[in-house]
Amino acid sequence: MHEEFTIPSKDFSVAGEASSKIKRILKQLNVPPQRIKQIIVAVFEAEVNVIAHSYGGKVLCDIEQERVLIDVIDTGPGIEDLDLAMTEGWSTATSEVREMGYGAGMGLPNIKKSCDELKIYTKKGDHTHISMRFTL
Amino acid sequence: MKLKEILECVDGKLVWGESHLEDEVIRGFASDLMSDVLTILEDDILLITGLSNNQSIRTAEMSDITNILLVRNKRPSQNMIDMAKELNISLSYTPYSLFKTSGLLYAKGLKPVY
Ligand SMILES: Nc1ncnc2c1ncn2[C@@H]1O[C@H](COP(=O)(O)OP(=O)(O)OP(=O)(O)O)[C@@H](O)[C@H]1O
Ligand SMILES: [Mg+2]
């Protein structure tokens, strides 16, 4: 099953809509609730990062018999130092983003903890592509 | 603790979710930072927060949290109430600060997450 969601930049009123829909699908497929929570936390963090830090992008979701593949691809501006960005507590969130409840610098570390396989392509001046795999 | 006991303890008012008043809440987690909340894997949590916008509801949805308590008299907007209804999450508020609310509930036996 393949699903695609467009994620805007800066519009927090829709933050979580894609993750919410994916969550509903996993529920319908009777994936255990604890597993759904792990998957969805990672998807939600990546979705919010697109809204908070990028020019917008999309979430691609492929659900197969034994695994879930999620690709979150934005249109820039890319991350300058990925090791730093992966560090717990490191954040460049603006005050607008903080007012919305984000900017703890925990998103990427949370994503890393939650997925079975994580690949990240990013480069300053280019886009960011987060590819996550979860076994069911 | 039951949600109704929690509300009595902090002079809280329920805005939506009467069916949750008998919910057995085991732990409390107080934060205005949503990724902090998203690290929690335990169930039956009360989210205590000063963040009164729809992101607190979204975060609760993602982490399967079904009870939210807003501090410092922050009344939820109609939009938040609508979302809470749709997701079956109870919404309450207390006049007390995040610190006082957490202190009172901790003293009454609500457990911490970490
Ligand atoms: N899609 C992205 N595009 C550009 N920069 C990003 C992107 N995702 C993350 N970053 C950068 O990496 C930093 C760390 O991201 P992370 O998700 O860990 O924390 P945060 O978004 O700042 O806060 P939190 O996720 O805890 O609310 C961000 O502050 C930002 O500088
Ligand atoms: Mg983030």
Side-chain angles (χ1 to χ4, degrees), chain A residues 44-46 48-50 52-53 91 97 102-109 111, chain B residues 35:
Chain A
F44 183 56
E45 292 282 13
V48 171
N49 276 355
V50 171
H53 309 297
S91 173
V97 171
Y102 300 98
M106 293 302 291
L108 289 171
I111 291 172
Chain B
S35 325

Short mmCIF file of all heavy atoms in Angstrom, two decimals, chain A residues 44-46 48-50 52-53 91 97 102-109 111, chain B residues 35, ligand 2:
data_model
loop_
_atom_site.label_atom_id
_atom_site.label_comp_id
_atom_site.label_asym_id
_atom_site.label_seq_id
_atom_site.Cartn_x
_atom_site.Cartn_y
_atom_site.Cartn_z
N PHE A 44 6.06 11.33 13.00
CA PHE A 44 5.58 12.65 13.44
C PHE A 44 6.76 13.62 13.62
O PHE A 44 6.69 14.77 13.17
CB PHE A 44 4.80 12.48 14.75
CG PHE A 44 4.21 13.75 15.28
CD1 PHE A 44 3.35 14.53 14.52
CD2 PHE A 44 4.49 14.18 16.58
CE1 PHE A 44 2.79 15.71 15.01
CE2 PHE A 44 3.93 15.35 17.09
CZ PHE A 44 3.09 16.11 16.31
N GLU A 45 7.84 13.16 14.24
CA GLU A 45 9.01 14.03 14.43
C GLU A 45 9.55 14.49 13.06
O GLU A 45 9.91 15.65 12.89
CB GLU A 45 10.12 13.29 15.17
CG GLU A 45 9.82 12.98 16.63
CD GLU A 45 9.99 14.17 17.56
OE1 GLU A 45 10.11 15.32 17.08
OE2 GLU A 45 9.98 13.95 18.79
N ALA A 46 9.59 13.56 12.12
CA ALA A 46 10.12 13.90 10.80
C ALA A 46 9.16 14.86 10.07
O ALA A 46 9.59 15.80 9.40
CB ALA A 46 10.34 12.64 9.97
N VAL A 48 7.08 17.02 11.52
CA VAL A 48 7.20 18.34 12.16
C VAL A 48 8.49 19.03 11.73
O VAL A 48 8.50 20.25 11.51
CB VAL A 48 7.11 18.22 13.70
CG1 VAL A 48 7.45 19.54 14.36
CG2 VAL A 48 5.72 17.77 14.13
N ASN A 49 9.57 18.27 11.57
CA ASN A 49 10.82 18.90 11.11
C ASN A 49 10.67 19.54 9.74
O ASN A 49 11.24 20.60 9.49
CB ASN A 49 11.95 17.87 11.07
CG ASN A 49 12.60 17.68 12.44
OD1 ASN A 49 12.28 18.39 13.39
ND2 ASN A 49 13.50 16.73 12.53
N VAL A 50 9.90 18.91 8.86
CA VAL A 50 9.68 19.49 7.53
C VAL A 50 8.96 20.84 7.68
O VAL A 50 9.34 21.84 7.07
CB VAL A 50 8.86 18.54 6.63
CG1 VAL A 50 8.45 19.23 5.33
CG2 VAL A 50 9.68 17.29 6.31
N ALA A 52 8.80 22.72 10.47
CA ALA A 52 9.55 23.68 11.29
C ALA A 52 10.82 24.18 10.61
O ALA A 52 11.16 25.36 10.76
CB ALA A 52 9.92 23.03 12.63
N HIS A 53 11.53 23.31 9.91
CA HIS A 53 12.88 23.69 9.47
C HIS A 53 13.07 23.74 7.95
O HIS A 53 14.14 24.11 7.50
CB HIS A 53 13.91 22.71 10.02
CG HIS A 53 13.83 22.48 11.49
ND1 HIS A 53 14.04 23.48 12.41
CD2 HIS A 53 13.54 21.37 12.22
CE1 HIS A 53 13.91 22.99 13.63
NE2 HIS A 53 13.59 21.71 13.55
N SER A 91 19.47 22.27 18.77
CA SER A 91 18.36 22.77 17.97
C SER A 91 18.63 24.17 17.46
O SER A 91 19.25 24.98 18.13
CB SER A 91 17.10 22.80 18.84
OG SER A 91 16.05 23.42 18.15
N VAL A 97 8.80 28.51 16.31
CA VAL A 97 8.75 27.05 16.44
C VAL A 97 8.66 26.67 17.92
O VAL A 97 7.89 25.80 18.30
CB VAL A 97 9.98 26.41 15.76
CG1 VAL A 97 10.06 24.92 16.07
CG2 VAL A 97 9.94 26.64 14.25
N TYR A 102 7.89 23.02 20.00
CA TYR A 102 9.00 22.23 19.46
C TYR A 102 10.32 22.96 19.68
O TYR A 102 10.33 24.11 20.07
CB TYR A 102 8.76 21.95 17.97
CG TYR A 102 7.49 21.17 17.80
CD1 TYR A 102 6.30 21.80 17.45
CD2 TYR A 102 7.46 19.82 18.10
CE1 TYR A 102 5.12 21.09 17.37
CE2 TYR A 102 6.28 19.10 18.02
CZ TYR A 102 5.12 19.74 17.66
OH TYR A 102 3.96 19.04 17.59
N GLY A 103 11.42 22.24 19.43
CA GLY A 103 12.73 22.86 19.59
C GLY A 103 13.52 22.33 20.77
O GLY A 103 14.44 22.96 21.26
N ALA A 104 13.13 21.13 21.25
CA ALA A 104 13.89 20.51 22.34
C ALA A 104 15.18 19.89 21.81
O ALA A 104 16.07 19.54 22.57
CB ALA A 104 13.05 19.45 23.04
N GLY A 105 15.27 19.75 20.49
CA GLY A 105 16.45 19.10 19.92
C GLY A 105 16.41 17.59 20.14
O GLY A 105 17.45 16.93 20.22
N MET A 106 15.22 17.04 20.24
CA MET A 106 15.06 15.62 20.53
C MET A 106 14.48 14.84 19.35
O MET A 106 14.36 13.62 19.41
CB MET A 106 14.14 15.42 21.75
CG MET A 106 14.72 15.92 23.06
SD MET A 106 16.29 15.12 23.44
CE MET A 106 15.68 13.47 23.77
N GLY A 107 14.08 15.55 18.30
CA GLY A 107 13.38 14.90 17.20
C GLY A 107 14.22 13.85 16.49
O GLY A 107 13.83 12.68 16.40
N LEU A 108 15.38 14.25 15.98
CA LEU A 108 16.23 13.29 15.25
C LEU A 108 16.71 12.16 16.17
O LEU A 108 16.66 11.00 15.78
CB LEU A 108 17.39 14.03 14.57
CG LEU A 108 16.97 14.90 13.37
CD1 LEU A 108 18.14 15.77 12.88
CD2 LEU A 108 16.45 14.05 12.21
N PRO A 109 17.15 12.47 17.42
CA PRO A 109 17.50 11.37 18.32
C PRO A 109 16.32 10.41 18.57
O PRO A 109 16.50 9.19 18.60
CB PRO A 109 17.91 12.07 19.62
CG PRO A 109 18.35 13.43 19.20
CD PRO A 109 17.52 13.77 18.00
N ILE A 111 13.90 9.79 16.48
CA ILE A 111 13.73 9.04 15.23
C ILE A 111 14.73 7.89 15.19
O ILE A 111 14.39 6.74 14.91
CB ILE A 111 13.93 9.97 14.00
CG1 ILE A 111 12.77 10.96 13.91
CG2 ILE A 111 14.10 9.15 12.71
CD1 ILE A 111 12.95 12.03 12.85
N SER B 35 8.64 17.14 21.93
CA SER B 35 9.49 15.95 21.67
C SER B 35 9.90 15.26 22.94
O SER B 35 10.28 14.10 22.92
CB SER B 35 10.78 16.25 20.93
OG SER B 35 10.65 17.22 20.04
MG MG C 2 12.38 18.22 15.36
#
